[in-house]
């Protein structure tokens, strides 16, 4: 999550990350027509990126903006890019660990704040054993009355790739934010299936 403080004229960012990650992340804030890019160290011991940076007075007054966080990867951790809205109001995105059943159905569900509108996006990510490429699949669930859910059948070819993957199957579930109510973006990540 990322929150802009009008009173303190800063942005506070907290991003959980695997303890295997190392180095630093690149962060860009786009708000009030201005872009600011900086880096933040990865705290491997506490499995997080936590940083506070000053923003301009116009960005502080606006109180919201688009944050892009890039981790470029290392020898044992995949790269990742996350984009979400920075704002003062929490989305309260919650979910249990998504499931891919033995028949290839993807199941995921959970609540968000009742003021949220739009969709919740769930990504599945794995490494294709044949090509060695990282594959990312994205699915959308529309928010209705503060809840969202996915219950869909994966294509047979996709499910076959997942069964033959290298390493783990990960999920990334993201609500990007809702500007009208100044609701910030939030993301949750889970390992869905262990390495094979």
């Amino acid at each position: 999550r990322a929150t802009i403080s009008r009173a303190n004229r800063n942005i506070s960012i907290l991003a959980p990350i695997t303890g295997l990650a190392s180095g630093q992340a690149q962060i860009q804030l786009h708000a009030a027509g201005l872009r600011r890019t900086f880096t933040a160290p990865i705290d491997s011991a506490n499995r997080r990126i936590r940083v506070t940076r000053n923003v301009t007075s116009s960005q502080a007054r606006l109180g919201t903006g688009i944050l892009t966080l890039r981790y470029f990867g290392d020898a044992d951790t995949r790269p990742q890019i996350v984009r979400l809205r920075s704002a003062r109001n929490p989305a309260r995105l919650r979910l249990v660990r998504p499931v891919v059943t033995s028949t290839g159905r993807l199941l995921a569900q959970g609540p968000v704040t009742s003021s949220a509108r739009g969709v919740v996006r769930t990504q599945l990510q794995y490494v294709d054993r044949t090509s060695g490429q990282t594959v990312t699949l994205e699915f959308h669930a529309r928010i209705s009355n503060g809840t969202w859910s996915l219950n869909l059948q994966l294509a047979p070819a996709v499910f076959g790739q997942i069964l033959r993957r290298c390493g783990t199957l990960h999920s990334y579930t993201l609500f990007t934010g809702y500007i009208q109510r100044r609701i910030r973006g939030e993301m949750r990540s889970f390992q869905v299936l262990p390495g094979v």
Side-chain angles (χ1 to χ4, degrees):
R1 59 111 181 105
T3 305
I4 294 176
S5 170
R6 295 180 179 178
N8 298 324
R9 284 181 52 181
N10 62 25
I11 183 170
S12 175
I13 300 163
L14 175 62
I17 193 168
T18 174
L20 297 175
S22 59
Q24 60 187 15
Q26 181 189 81
I27 300 172
Q28 183 182 86
L29 173 66
H30 183 196
L34 303 172
R35 295 180 189 269
R36 182 183 178 194
T37 302
F38 53 93
T39 60
I42 291 171
D43 181 352
S44 300
N46 292 305
R47 301 183 178 187
R48 67 188 184 188
I49 300 165
R50 187 167 191 169
V51 63
T52 300
R53 289 286 188 275
N54 291 334
V55 298
T56 68
S57 57
S58 60
Q59 290 173 331
R61 283 195 303 272
L62 183 63
T64 185
I66 299 299
L67 191 82
T68 303
L69 189 151
R70 290 180 172 89
Y71 176 65
F72 294 98
D74 59 20
D76 54 13
T77 309
R78 300 172 193 162
Q80 183 64 272
I81 299 176
V82 177
R83 290 184 181 88
L84 51 78
R85 179 164 295 282
S86 174
R88 66 181 179 271
N89 297 319
R92 297 189 176 91
L93 175 67
R94 298 289 183 270
L95 70 154
V96 296
R97 188 186 304 270
V99 171
V100 174
T101 70
S102 60
T103 59
R105 294 197 73 83
L106 170 62
L107 308 176
Q109 63 178 348
V112 292
T113 181
S114 59
S115 300
R117 300 292 184 270
V119 298
V120 170
R121 303 174 184 179
T122 294
Q123 294 180 343
L124 296 181
Q125 190 175 89
Y126 60 93
V127 176
D128 178 28
R129 182 178 294 276
T130 301
S131 67
Q133 298 297 310
T134 299
V135 178
T136 302
L137 309 172
E138 184 169 285
F139 309 93
H140 295 179
R142 185 155 294 280
I143 296 168
S144 177
N145 298 319
T147 63
W148 61 273
S149 66
L150 284 172
N151 183 344
L152 56 89
Q153 181 67 46
L154 300 174
V158 169
F159 185 46
Q161 274 192 347
I162 289 173
L163 294 177
R164 297 187 301 271
R165 72 192 180 279
C166 295
T168 57
L169 175 67
H170 276 276
S171 70
Y172 302 92
T173 300
L174 175 68
F175 174 68
T176 57
Y178 184 49
I179 189 171
Q180 285 83 349
R181 296 294 181 89
R182 294 296 195 269
I183 299 173
R184 67 180 177 230
E186 295 176 359
M187 188 179 82
R188 302 287 182 266
S189 176
F190 289 95
Q191 179 180 299
V192 180
L193 294 173
V196 295

